[in-house]
Amino acid sequence: MEYLEKLNPEQYQAVTTKSKKVLVIAGAGSGKTRVLTNRIQYLLDNGVSKNEIVAFTFTNRAAMEMKYRLEKYEFKNIHTFHSYCYQILQFAKDEIGFQKFDKIELAFEEYELELLNKITKELNVKINPKSLMQYISKRKNNLKYEFKSVDEARIYNQVYFKFQEYLMNKGKIDFDDMISLVVNNFDNISFKNAILDECKYVLVDEFQDTNQIQFDLVKKLSSKYNNLFCVGDQNQLIYSFRSSDIKIINDFKEEADETIYLNKNYRSASNILESSNSLIKHNHNLEGNIYSDIPPKFKVTYHELPDTSYQAWDVTNIIKNLIDKGGYRPNEIAVLFRNNYQSTEIEFELRKNKIPYTLYGKMKFFKFEATKRMIALYQFLDNPEDYILFRQAVLIDQQIFDNMVENYESNSIKLLDSIINLNNNKLSPLAIKIKDLINNRNQYDKNRLFEYMMTLIYDELTDKQQEYLRALKDIIVNSESNKESEILDNLLLNEGENKDEMGVNLMTIHKAKGLEFKCVFIISVNDGIIPSNLKNEKDIKEERRLLYGAQRLQEIGTCQRICSVNF
């Protein structure tokens, strides 16, 4: 096993351990992915079937990287928690209560908000739908929600049950359902034992980022054989706003059979580690002595600048010199910030200097109106009784929508027939065309179907709409799947994932987690931004972990610049 010879003693210990419950505390750049993939290699080389190992990671990008490293083993059983549970739900849908549907579909945020508006109107209560969504999400993730009164609790629960009833009746689930439905129904799934046998060995990446429902899932999946291998680092937990709980990794450390520390950093020069360690030590939980043997080639520099406009000019000017004189490629450089709005001035300066850039995460692909409407129409073709999807596709106003729903619910006819009977000058002819499309859908290939659907919802297209619809069309037409519902579900499951681009990388610190670059700028490191306005010591500890993680994204022999602005 040649790969074992390349491991340091701590990595070797982790890869070859005979312990059942193992926690590997792995700092950024300490070879975490190597340990995970080598652990799987080691199990396979020692007679474990690839059908008895399941690995979880938090992004599709990380899953793809691990699959690539294990390509010769043809090992593909690496998932995000959501994608794994989504597969189980498709097989267990009848047992969970979706008997009348061939396939469960995903509901995205705008659909849920529309549904909550409808429910609160029926109950004659005025509640912000986003507050309701927070409650519903917390409930599905087994988290506590603080009610202001008994009456508020009663109303929120009423909304929850109506919300879930509607989704179930339409064959839809939301993102939180994917895990919670599996966890809450796991013991009653007929093929539970088959799942457990496929989970003889369970491995979890970025363990510090798990929330309670995800950990409940891991415990259930590993309950038969108790082989659980978790890799994480308390000092990199930055997702408390997504319900990640540091208590989970701390409690697991107490019950683990073995805890192994990977303290040697292979990514960053020693001065970068010294800078980041001097920050995180204030959290009083630095595990072991994180060190690097790589000598510094550049200084970690701090720029105190008069305002954000000057900061954008200064950063762009340095980037231009790095590209023109330093031999850096644009995609080897990253500008990181706390909040999305901070990219605007940097974008302006980069455009002015004709420097290509890629902006990640400012708005998720399927949330642009053009793609959102087309996705809604695709989904409506599969669910022609779902009037919320119809409204999202054709953007009808509230009064007409209310009349349409009332007419539909008071008559025992199909939705499209009900709309046709309204004799509305715009809606009725459109309903006739959509009904005809549903009846004759198999006559269209993917390209012609997309083109025809565009003509149904757009009389003419702006340049921006054309841009996003061309991108959506490319995804659908070039997909290997012939089922649009599968393509769209894959798009929704994987939205927000980065692609390899050639421009300077502009992204939030959260978005940059797990990546590495030759040169990193961290801008606006100021009170009120980093750290953001804080309520307690717990919050400031997370802000330290956020900046700590940002400082550790540098590859060997690189430079780092941290900018602050005088307000």
Side-chain angles (χ1 to χ4, degrees), residues 322-335:
L322 286 170
I323 295 170
D324 292 345
K325 300 175 184 177
Y328 284 76
R329 294 192 297 271
N331 64 344
E332 295 175 330
I333 302 168
V335 180

Side-chain angles (χ1 to χ4, degrees), residues 351-365:
R351 284 197 300 269
K352 192 165 74 172
N353 285 275
K354 295 183 172 53
I355 298 172
Y357 67 88
T358 303
L359 179 64
Y360 293 108
K362 194 151 190 176
M363 188 180 289
K364 293 172 182 175
F365 176 75

Side-chain angles (χ1 to χ4, degrees), residues 138-180:
K138 281 183 177 289
R139 178 166 179 159
K140 291 180 179 183
N141 284 288
N142 292 348
L143 298 168
K144 189 176 180 181
Y145 186 88
E146 297 291 339
F147 291 108
K148 296 173 184 174
S149 66
V150 174
D151 280 344
E152 184 182 68
R154 176 181 55 79
I155 293 167
Y156 274 50
N157 279 309
Q158 272 186 289
V159 171
Y160 174 80
F161 285 113
K162 281 185 169 290
F163 179 84
Q164 283 302 99
E165 180 183 28
Y166 187 94
L167 290 183
M168 291 285 287
N169 288 338
K170 298 299 181 185
K172 286 188 172 292
I173 58 173
D174 64 16
F175 279 89
D176 292 314
D177 279 327
M178 276 188 265
I179 300 177
S180 64

Side-chain angles (χ1 to χ4, degrees), residues 390-418:
F390 185 83
R391 183 187 188 184
Q392 289 181 322
V394 301
L395 299 183
I396 54 182
D397 66 39
Q398 187 67 51
Q399 186 173 352
I400 295 174
F401 177 70
D402 290 343
N403 291 338
M404 183 188 86
V405 173
E406 183 180 351
N407 182 57
Y408 170 59
E409 292 182 339
S410 61
N411 294 287
S412 300
I413 58 175
K414 293 186 178 295
L415 176 62
L416 288 172
D417 291 331
S418 176

